[in-house]
């Protein structure tokens, strides 16, 4: 009798589990097949597009296994801002689920190796400040401190700039400023009474002194202090190309660092000055339609094209900078006009109302094997994609900032 009852209970439980699995799959398919309402703002339409395409955030851009990655950090930072604006819990849950899949029960990042000294790893750490404040889960705080420890021992150029990775000795890359400095600033203000603020300002100062082009005021993608690698200019050490997305990374780094940088600190005005300088230069180098090119300073170069991720990043930085008072208010109008042009040039809706964005630059780099020489031709021939994460995230950020 007992055995018979036990078998019946187990059978019932098994059926219930199967029904739950089946119903969750049906719900997921329903979400993917749902048609988005016409009256949605672009920010929420983009967020719902991402949720539908990548129900697990670690799958962004087709990533197959959970990975602590700057791309997820970028996209989820947009979700964080949207959550703060809408208070819609599904956006918070999307962020938390990613963190919980990548951080084990002991508070360690899965497959993270500090010895790689990959500065990109700092970027997702920004998400953990709010997660810790809301949940008081000590795992999040432990990871925050692990990432700060990486920056403490991150290899540096002799002039004090963070190497981009251990495998790129003596090199600062422009996107590294976005990856590290907003996290670094938030940490030092929150936990260290701002003791690292001068060091943070130093990173931007090195960009201004070595990566900013004296002719255009725009920024090159990288600088080799030793001038030894083949892509480096023998006189300046810079890489050959002014990449549109590199400008976007730098401008976002400045506006998001200024969010946490104390106004009373002597370097605050210096950082604002850098933002005003690059904003002015970017404005001068936009196309007649108000967008930016893949090779930003050479619009007439054969096969050069208007590029969507750089354009959205710059629009976001201009709008945010104006809203926060870091930039003059007229930059908000510039951002608005460029956003309108962006919609015409790059954005379409599919038959479900989901967002599609064209002409997204591939993830380009320098050095390595096979060797990437960083020439204008290399950037132009790197195949553009549709709807990859830098454009989706930056478009979402710009739409949030412009209330679109």
């Amino acid at each position: 009798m007992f055995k018979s009852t036990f078998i019946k209970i187990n059978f019932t439980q098994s059926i219930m589990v199967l029904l739950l699995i089946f119903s969750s799959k049906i719900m997921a398919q329903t979400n993917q097949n749902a048609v988005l309402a016409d009256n949605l703002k672009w920010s929420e339409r983009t967020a719902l597009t991402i949720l539908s395409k990548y129900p697990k955030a670690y799958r962004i851009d087709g990533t197959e296994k959970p990975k602590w990655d700057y791309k997820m950090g970028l996209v989820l930072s947009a979700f964080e801002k949207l959550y703060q604006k809408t208070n819609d819990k599904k956006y918070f849950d999307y962020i938390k689920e990613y963190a919980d899949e990548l951080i084990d029960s002991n508070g360690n990042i899965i497959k993270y190796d500090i010895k790689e000294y990959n500065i990109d790893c700092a970027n997702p750490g920004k998400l953990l400040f709010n997660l810790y404040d809301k949940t008081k889960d000590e795992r999040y705080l432990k990871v925050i401190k692990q990432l700060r420890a990486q920056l403490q021992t991150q290899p540096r150029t002799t002039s004090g700039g963070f190497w981009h990775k251990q495998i790129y000795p003596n090199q600062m890359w422009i996107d590294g400023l976005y990856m590290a400095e907003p996290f670094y600033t938030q940490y030092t203000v929150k936990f260290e009474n701002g003791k690292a603020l001068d060091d943070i300002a130093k990173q931007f100062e090195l960009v201004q002194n070595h990566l900013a082009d004296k002719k255009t005021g725009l920024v090159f993608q990288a600088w080799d202090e030793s001038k030894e690698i083949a892509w480096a200019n023998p006189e300046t050490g810079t890489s050959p190309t002014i990449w549109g997305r590199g400008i976007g990374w730098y401008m976002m780094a400045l506006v998001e660092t200024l969010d946490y940088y104390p106004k009373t600190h002597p370097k605050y005005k210096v950082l604002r000055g850098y933002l005003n300088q690059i904003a002015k230069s970017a404005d001068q180098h936009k196309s007649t339609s108000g967008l930016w090119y893949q090779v930003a300073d050479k619009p007439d170069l054969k096969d050069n094209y208007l590029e969507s991720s750089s354009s959205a990043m710059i629009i976001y930085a201009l709008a945010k900078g104006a809203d926060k008072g870091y930039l003059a208010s007229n930059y908000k109008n510039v951002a608005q006009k460029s956003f309108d042009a962006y919609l015409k040039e790059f954005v379409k809706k599919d038959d479900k109302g989901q967002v599609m964005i064209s002409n997204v630059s591939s993830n380009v780099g320098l050095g390595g094997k096979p060797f990437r020489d960083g020439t204008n031709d290399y950037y132009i021939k790197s195949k553009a994609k549709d709807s990859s994460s830098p454009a989706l995230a930056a478009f979402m950020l710009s739409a949030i900032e412009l209330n679109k």
Side-chain angles (χ1 to χ4, degrees):
M1 178 70 180
F2 175 78
K3 185 176 181 181
S4 174
T5 303
F6 179 75
I7 290 170
K8 286 180 180 178
I9 291 170
N10 271 321
F11 178 76
T12 302
Q13 288 176 335
S14 298
I15 291 295
M16 288 177 67
V17 169
L18 288 170
L19 285 171
L20 283 169
I21 292 170
F22 181 72
S23 63
S24 65
K25 286 184 176 181
I26 292 294
M27 286 175 66
Q29 289 174 350
T30 301
N31 287 337
Q32 289 176 353
N33 292 327
V35 177
L36 301 183
D38 288 336
N39 61 348
L40 281 174
K41 289 185 176 181
W42 285 110
S43 55
E44 292 208 67
R45 184 178 300 279
T46 307
L48 294 172
T49 298
I50 294 168
L51 285 169
S52 174
K53 191 173 182 181
Y54 307 114
K56 298 280 190 181
Y58 77 78
R59 298 300 303 272
I60 285 168
D61 285 350
T63 307
E64 293 184 358
K65 296 180 179 180
K67 184 180 180 182
W68 189 258
D69 192 276
Y70 77 90
K71 291 181 289 186
M72 291 70 177
L74 173 64
V75 172
L76 293 177
S77 69
F79 272 81
E80 184 176 78
K81 288 178 172 61
L82 189 57
Y83 170 66
Q84 290 166 349
K85 189 166 187 174
T86 65
N87 204 34
D88 190 327
K89 193 170 179 291
K90 67 174 172 284
Y91 302 136
F92 175 82
D93 291 343
Y94 193 54
I95 300 165
K96 186 176 184 300
E97 184 184 49
Y98 173 75
D100 291 344
E101 286 181 317
L102 270 294
I103 300 171
D104 68 21
S105 59
N106 296 316
N108 296 302
I109 304 169
I110 295 170
K111 295 185 178 179
Y112 166 75
D113 183 359
I114 190 174
K115 294 189 293 294
E116 293 179 358
Y117 284 109
N118 182 350
I119 209 160
D120 292 346
C121 290
N123 185 49
K126 294 183 299 187
L127 305 169
L128 304 181
F129 291 104
N130 281 338
L131 283 176
Y132 177 68
D133 287 344
K134 280 190 169 293
T135 66
K136 300 305 177 186
D137 188 331
E138 291 295 321
R139 296 177 307 134
Y140 302 144
L141 182 60
K142 185 176 177 182
V143 171
I144 289 169
K145 290 182 176 180
Q146 287 174 351
L147 296 171
R148 174 65 180 98
Q150 176 185 324
L151 294 181
Q152 186 68 32
T153 54
Q154 186 84 8
R156 296 174 181 249
T157 66
T158 57
S159 54
F162 289 135
W163 290 9
H164 195 65
K165 295 180 184 179
Q166 180 70 43
I167 60 173
Y168 299 135
N170 305 306
Q171 297 173 29
M172 290 185 74
W173 290 26
I174 197 65
D175 44 310
L177 278 291
Y178 173 79
M179 303 304 164
E181 310 319 322
F183 168 84
Y184 194 12
T185 308
Q186 193 170 359
Y187 186 96
T188 197
V189 169
K190 190 177 181 72
F191 296 113
E192 300 177 330
N193 199 29
K195 75 173 188 179
L197 289 170
D198 284 337
D199 187 37
I200 291 159
K202 178 72 172 177
Q203 306 305 310
F204 288 102
E205 180 185 340
L206 289 167
V207 169
Q208 293 298 129
N209 290 343
H210 299 287
L211 285 97
D213 178 37
K214 301 298 186 287
K215 181 180 177 182
T216 64
L218 303 174
V219 286
F220 293 98
Q221 186 178 356
W223 167 60
D224 175 11
E225 186 183 53
S226 71
K227 304 173 186 175
E228 291 178 353
I229 197 163
W231 53 252
N233 182 304
E235 293 181 6
T236 64
T238 57
S239 56
T241 298
I242 295 175
W243 179 38
R245 191 149 84 216
I247 299 167
W249 285 129
Y250 186 52
M251 292 180 69
M252 290 203 305
L254 280 162
V255 294
E256 295 193 1
T257 295
L258 284 166
D259 277 349
Y260 302 103
Y261 212 92
K263 293 181 179 180
T264 54
H265 194 279
K267 296 294 184 181
Y268 175 83
K269 288 184 179 179
V270 175
L271 296 181
R272 273 190 60 189
Y274 295 160
L275 176 60
N276 277 267
Q277 180 267 306
I278 191 70
K280 180 180 179 182
S281 298
D283 188 31
Q284 290 171 342
H285 286 85
K286 67 180 184 294
S287 70
T288 53
S289 65
L291 303 170
W292 286 266
Y293 282 88
Q294 169 76 339
V295 178
D297 63 326
K298 295 180 174 64
D300 297 326
L301 201 62
K302 187 176 183 295
D303 296 327
N304 200 4
Y305 59 91
L306 293 173
E307 198 279 323
S308 57
S309 67
S310 60
S311 295
M313 288 176 174
I314 294 168
I315 292 166
Y316 162 60
L318 292 176
K320 183 180 178 70
D323 280 342
K324 292 281 190 172
Y326 311 144
L327 296 171
S329 60
N330 65 290
Y331 280 108
K332 186 72 173 284
N333 295 329
V334 174
Q336 180 63 70
K337 289 177 181 177
S338 293
F339 187 87
D340 293 342
Y342 191 98
L343 293 175
K344 293 178 183 177
E345 181 71 28
F346 301 122
V347 181
K348 291 181 180 178
K349 292 187 286 186
D350 66 12
D351 56 0
K352 298 174 189 174
Q354 295 184 352
V355 172
M356 299 186 296
I357 302 177
S358 61
N359 277 28
V360 191
S361 171
S362 299
N363 293 328
V364 294
L366 296 158
K369 294 180 182 179
F371 188 79
R372 297 165 295 180
D373 60 10
T375 59
N376 292 173
D377 194 52
Y378 161 72
Y379 284 81
I380 288 172
K381 287 185 177 178
S382 294
K383 189 176 180 181
K385 301 178 180 181
D386 291 337
S387 297
S388 58
S389 60
L392 285 170
F395 176 63
M396 191 170 156
L397 286 165
S398 64
I400 293 167
E401 202 64 43
L402 290 165
N403 197 30
K404 295 293 185 181

